Amino acid sequence: MSPASADVQPEDTQLEENEERTMIDPASREDPKFKELVKVLLDWINDVLVEDRIIVKQLEEDLYDGQVLQKLLEKLANRKLNVAEVTQSEIGQKQKLQTVLEAVFDLLRPHGWALRWSVDSIHGKNLVAILHLLVALATHFRAPIRLPEHVSVQVVVVRKREGLLHSSHVSEELTSTTEQMMGRFERDAFDTLFDHAPDKLNVVKKFADGVYLVLLMGLLEDYFVPLHNFYLTPESFDQKVHNVSFAFELMLDGGLRKPKARPEDVVNLDLKSTLRVLYNLFTKYKDVE
């Protein structure tokens, strides 16, 4: 610990004895990878909540009271939380946050994820804690996004001791590699399928250009898909992505949840992503003759 430096802003000096406050070093905020992480998470949240007409512009200002986090978790987990819809008091906000974070804990606990956030840190608009929470949720729910790897920030920790402010710098790792993040979670049925029947998975490659997916949705929902809405013989990567994206739209119209895979993953022959899409179709339409 050293005497507080120029990094500490005037609003950060109003501390009680032994009270501690943390903030991201300004230089870290300007790091391109940090900015990319924030943008990717912002876009993801807004995409998930688009049907609720919720637009998040600043993570620490829009998520601290638990309202948006509640809606986000309900969408991701497909469950309703028993909390008050709107609350203005600090006590009410913290009670809502407690309920939301307990639900998150129940989801992540079986996978051994280190919980690096708390009610007080989220409500206190601690951006590092909020980012840790969002990265964990995005990883757990296999969000169709690509988190930048090896993002870390320098955090300034300010504490008041014997009437004087002292500061120190610590490094916080926000993301590791994709493999390390995904490795925190248990293997699922798709991993088992890859282990035991890799030679039988080539069939999913037939869906990579999106044509079969579009035609399949038409057959399952019993309607004709106008040929001008998609490319029957796609020749470019963009045309294939268009087809898969259009098929995903038809799935949403048919009452399916939004696929966690990205259209680009299917086109790029990501077999696991394609299998998940097909499995969701099978689950919904298994009784269709």
Side-chain angles (χ1 to χ4, degrees), residues 72-227:
L72 179 65
L73 185 60
E74 288 179 339
K75 281 285 187 179
L76 294 173
N78 194 26
R79 57 174 287 196
K80 186 72 175 176
L81 298 179
N82 185 24
V83 293
E85 282 300 313
V86 179
T87 177
Q88 298 296 329
S89 69
E90 179 177 337
I91 294 178
Q93 290 172 352
K94 287 189 173 182
Q95 287 175 341
K96 171 176 283 191
L97 265 176
Q98 182 70 36
T99 301
V100 174
L101 295 183
E102 284 178 356
V104 172
F105 176 69
D106 290 340
L107 287 171
L108 302 184
R109 176 175 51 185
H111 307 290
W113 194 282
L115 306 185
R116 304 173 72 175
W117 57 84
S118 64
V119 170
D120 288 336
S121 63
I122 300 296
H123 194 268
K125 303 180 181 180
N126 184 319
L127 183 55
V128 171
I130 292 173
L131 289 172
H132 278 308
L133 172 59
L134 293 177
V135 168
L137 288 175
T139 306
H140 176 74
F141 288 103
R142 300 181 184 272
I145 58 178
R146 294 192 182 279
L147 296 174
E149 299 182 351
H150 295 301
V151 179
S152 61
V153 293
Q154 289 294 316
V155 177
V156 182
V157 182
V158 182
R159 178 182 296 170
K160 191 171 186 178
R161 189 174 59 192
E162 297 180 354
L164 297 177
L165 292 177
H166 299 266
S167 68
S168 61
H169 287 70
V170 296
S171 180
E172 282 275 355
E173 183 184 52
L174 298 174
T175 68
S176 50
T177 66
T178 300
E179 291 77 10
Q180 288 171 330
M181 287 187 284
M182 296 309 299
R184 296 174 185 265
F185 298 99
E186 298 172 349
R187 291 163 56 83
D188 57 21
F190 294 100
D191 293 305
T192 304
L193 180 59
F194 272 92
D195 290 342
H196 293 87
D199 57 322
K200 299 180 181 179
L201 297 178
N202 287 333
V203 65
V204 303
K205 295 181 179 180
K206 297 180 179 179
F207 293 89
D209 62 7
V211 176
Y212 281 179
L213 284 176
V214 172
L215 297 177
L216 182 59
M217 283 307 303
L219 289 172
L220 292 171
E221 288 289 330
D222 195 24
Y223 56 69
F224 175 75
V225 181
L227 298 181

